[in-house]
Amino acid sequence: MNTTTGNKFWEEKIETISKEDLRELQLQRLKKTIATAANSPFYKQVFEENGISPDILQTVDDIRKLPFTTKAHLRDNYPFGLVSGDLKDAVRLHSSSGTTGNPTVIVHSQHDLSSWANLVARCLYMVGLRNTDVFQNSSGYGMFTGGLGFQYGAERLGALTVPAAAGNSKRQIKFITDFKTTTLHAIPSYAIRLAEVFQEEGIDPHDTSLTTLVIGAEPHTDEQRKKIEKMLGVKAYNSFGMSEMNGPGVAFECTEQNGMHFWEDCFLVEIIDPETGEPMPEGEIGELVLTTLDREMMPLIRYRTRDLTRIIPGECPCGRTHLRIDRIKGRSDDMFIIKGVNIFPMQIEKILVRFAELGSNYLITLDTKDYQDTIIVEVELSDLSTDNYIELENIRKEITRQLKDEILVTPKLKLVKKGSLPQSEGKAVRVRDLRGDKA
Ligand code: DLL
């Protein structure tokens, strides 16, 4: 670990490890993970049924001999059926906010929390955070891992850490100004909201000490990132994680801003065809499947994330050897089908972001009318839009045309007043599917 300001790496040796050494390290850790997992009631049964023991692994690719773990397994074995360690050594529990049924629960030991904090420190160091910086976290604290996850990581790095927590934008801005915050963590939809409040308060964010933004936890397009960077006068780095894999600190962009490095010493990455479960050809989009390699209380093996992405081929000029994944295209369960066409919300966002007359808050509603699927896109206007009805109508037609080109069906587009769509405190809700309600 590195606390000096001159070095480019938090842990140079591990971040620049050769591919051969990395594979060897992964193999050793994978064997250990399987041996540990066998102590949980769930994996004990799975391994017995499938005749699995650590010595079936000759190479890392032999992981394919093991079955997948899914969210349903976590729910069905709620709360502790996948816990492999002794609960007396467990020190923290996070749970997801599942809307139906049991939530998913992840339990951590002291070792797990320390490993997690180190990974988050590694990410933050990579984008330039140092112990002389002030790091402000606008995530919700509590069960959502963006709060405590970043808190302990930034503290491990040695930055002065401000646990501002979610909401209260005026107070966030006061903290940024008074404490000279240099790096802010925010979910992308909130970063936009904050930029708007800066404007309302008559403060130019470019005049503050803020230089770096860490954004993640929800899908966003590269266009959205650029817009946020411009509005707040910062460099914004994409951060990927999920509670089942600790939380944040799983994959993170470096200063090249071209894909997120996946920390392969702690996670084994597979990209599979979500239909067949077979590996996708190199560089192609598929479902991300992850195995923890450094977790002792609750290891997960071949966990199906439902997130769709691809591995970016080639080496990164930053010198880190850990693979890079592309921006998350969506979740396989986010995709909706309208008139037989598969659509991801990000395809719609990509078009909306092109228009300066539009704000960033939008809502897609799927409904049925006369036995036909309909798609309604409501989007807030920005301060740059006009009041002139004819001009607005022309803009509406142009956006509708571009949306049709992208998603192949014609949506009903409604331009609505700024601030009129619901603004969530946590992750933005972009799609409302009312089709099932009428059945
Ligand atoms: O969102 C952990 C986190 C907190 C990540 C703070 C980054 C920053 P969950 O609430 O379990 O955990 O949600 C995980 O969010 O499977 C993805 O679908 C989505 N997601 C997370 N990061 C990104 C990202 C946290 N950078 C789920 N881009 C994941 C797109 C993301 N989607």
Side-chain angles (χ1 to χ4, degrees):
M1 125 184 26
N2 193 307
T3 49
T4 58
T5 44
N7 201 319
K8 195 173 139 190
F9 302 99
W10 176 248
E11 294 163 299
E12 182 162 5
K13 210 167 151 214
I14 197 80
E15 289 173 54
T16 59
I17 188 173
S18 72
K19 284 283 175 206
E20 300 73 48
D21 289 351
L22 182 60
R23 287 290 161 266
E24 187 48 38
L25 175 69
Q26 286 183 319
L27 184 60
Q28 295 319 318
R29 288 190 164 183
L30 188 57
K31 286 183 175 172
K32 195 170 161 205
T33 297
I34 290 173
T36 308
N39 296 322
S40 77
F42 171 75
Y43 281 119
K44 185 170 184 288
Q45 189 183 348
V46 170
F47 293 172
E48 272 170 16
E49 279 169 11
N50 293 276
I52 288 160
S53 66
D55 39 84
I56 66 162
L57 296 168
Q58 304 306 317
T59 72
V60 168
D61 287 342
D62 289 332
I63 182 102
R64 292 183 203 141
K65 295 177 182 164
L66 277 74
F68 294 115
T69 306
T70 65
K71 208 181 192 79
H73 290 134
L74 289 176
R75 290 207 166 116
D76 295 347
N77 294 278
Y78 172 87
F80 299 136
L82 277 82
V83 169
S84 304
D86 188 335
L87 274 177
K88 81 170 173 15
D89 299 323
V91 291
R92 197 189 312 153
L93 174 156
H94 279 280
S95 103
S96 77
S97 54
T99 41
T100 50
N102 285 331
T104 53
V105 165
I106 301 292
V107 186
H108 300 275
S109 68
Q110 210 61 270
H111 164 88
D112 299 335
L113 292 184
S114 177
S115 168
W116 178 14
N118 184 59
L119 286 183
V120 175
R122 198 193 279 175
C123 296
L124 293 172
Y125 197 91
M126 179 164 72
V127 296
L129 194 80
R130 297 294 180 267
N131 56 10
T132 45
D133 278 288
V134 180
F135 176 85
Q136 184 167 323
N137 190 4
S138 70
S139 255
Y141 277 64
M143 285 299 187
F144 180 55
T145 53
L148 293 177
F150 272 109
Q151 181 69 30
Y152 284 96
E155 286 180 8
R156 173 70 64 89
L157 187 145
L160 174 57
T161 307
V162 183
N168 202 340
S169 304
K170 285 187 191 167
R171 197 176 66 140
Q172 300 279 355
I173 293 172
K174 183 168 169 51
F175 286 171
I176 292 171
T177 318
D178 294 354
F179 306 148
K180 309 256 176 304
T181 300
T182 55
T183 304
L184 176 73
H185 171 243
I187 59 176
S189 48
Y190 184 66
I192 299 260
R193 176 73 201 125
L194 196 64
E196 286 169 359
V197 179
F198 262 112
Q199 222 173 41
E200 286 159 23
E201 294 292 291
I203 303 172
D204 184 349
H206 294 75
D207 295 338
T208 68
S209 43
L210 208 57
T211 58
T212 309
L213 190 71
V214 170
I215 45 172
E218 65 183 11
H220 56 288
T221 53
D222 199 42
E223 290 79 1
Q224 186 82 296
R225 176 248 289 276
K226 291 200 179 102
K227 186 169 171 180
I228 294 171
E229 288 188 323
K230 208 165 143 208
M231 285 171 97
L232 286 171
V234 292
K235 279 270 173 215
Y237 297 103
N238 195 358
S239 130
F240 171 81
M242 70 186 62
S243 3
E244 297 92 319
M245 296 292 134
N246 303 340
V250 176
F252 217 82
E253 259 179 357
C254 65
T255 50
E256 298 293 323
Q257 293 185 306
N258 183 21
M260 297 179 274
H261 287 284
F262 224 103
W263 300 126
E264 290 184 87
D265 53 325
C266 293
F267 303 99
L268 186 66
V269 179
E270 295 173 80
I271 305 281
I272 63 156
D273 178 330
E275 303 295 327
T276 64
E278 289 303 311
M280 289 300 288
E282 215 195 312
E284 288 191 20
I285 294 178
E287 180 182 338
L288 185 65
V289 171
L290 298 173
T291 301
T292 61
L293 293 176
D294 191 29
R295 224 163 53 183
E296 57 178 29
M297 186 51 66
M298 197 170 154
L300 289 182
I301 294 165
R302 303 197 85 199
Y303 184 70
R304 295 198 53 167
T305 67
R306 301 274 163 210
D307 288 317
L308 301 171
T309 184
R310 68 184 190 109
I311 294 175
I312 299 180
E315 286 166 18
C316 183
C318 81
R320 290 175 184 83
T321 46
H322 297 238
L323 66 80
R324 286 168 300 160
I325 56 159
D326 214 341
R327 193 168 282 286
I328 305 291
K329 189 171 178 269
R331 294 175 56 81
S332 52
D333 36 17
D334 267 0
M335 188 190 80
F336 52 85
I337 302 177
I338 285 276
K339 299 182 181 169
V341 184
N342 298 354
I343 301 171
F344 286 99
M346 283 304 102
Q347 289 176 274
I348 293 179
E349 177 174 308
K350 195 173 95 185
I351 305 297
L352 301 181
V353 160
R354 288 181 189 160
F355 292 85
E357 295 87 354
L358 301 183
S360 301
N361 206 3
Y362 65 93
L363 181 65
I364 303 163
T365 304
L366 312 173
D367 210 344
T368 319
K369 207 174 165 207
D370 302 330
Y371 305 102
Q372 293 268 342
D373 284 347
T374 59
I375 169 166
I376 303 163
V377 178
E378 289 171 278
V379 54
E380 288 182 9
L381 289 163
S382 75
D383 292 333
L384 297 175
S385 94
T386 156
D387 288 340
N388 183 302
Y389 177 77
I390 297 176
E391 277 177 44
L392 271 180
E393 197 42 32
N394 286 338
I395 295 166
R396 203 184 58 77
K397 280 190 187 142
E398 178 55 22
I399 302 168
T400 308
R401 192 189 62 74
Q402 293 197 23
L403 282 171
K404 159 97 197 298
D405 278 355
E406 174 67 33
I407 61 176
L408 308 176
V409 289
T410 307
K412 184 172 168 61
L413 182 67
K414 291 187 184 166
L415 304 179
V416 300
K417 241 178 56 199
K418 188 177 163 189
S420 60
L421 291 176
Q423 178 93 41
S424 67
E425 252 221 353
K427 303 189 189 207
V429 178
R430 299 299 192 195
V431 183
R432 216 165 35 138
D433 194 342
L434 305 177
R435 291 175 295 182
D437 292 0
K438 304 207 170 94

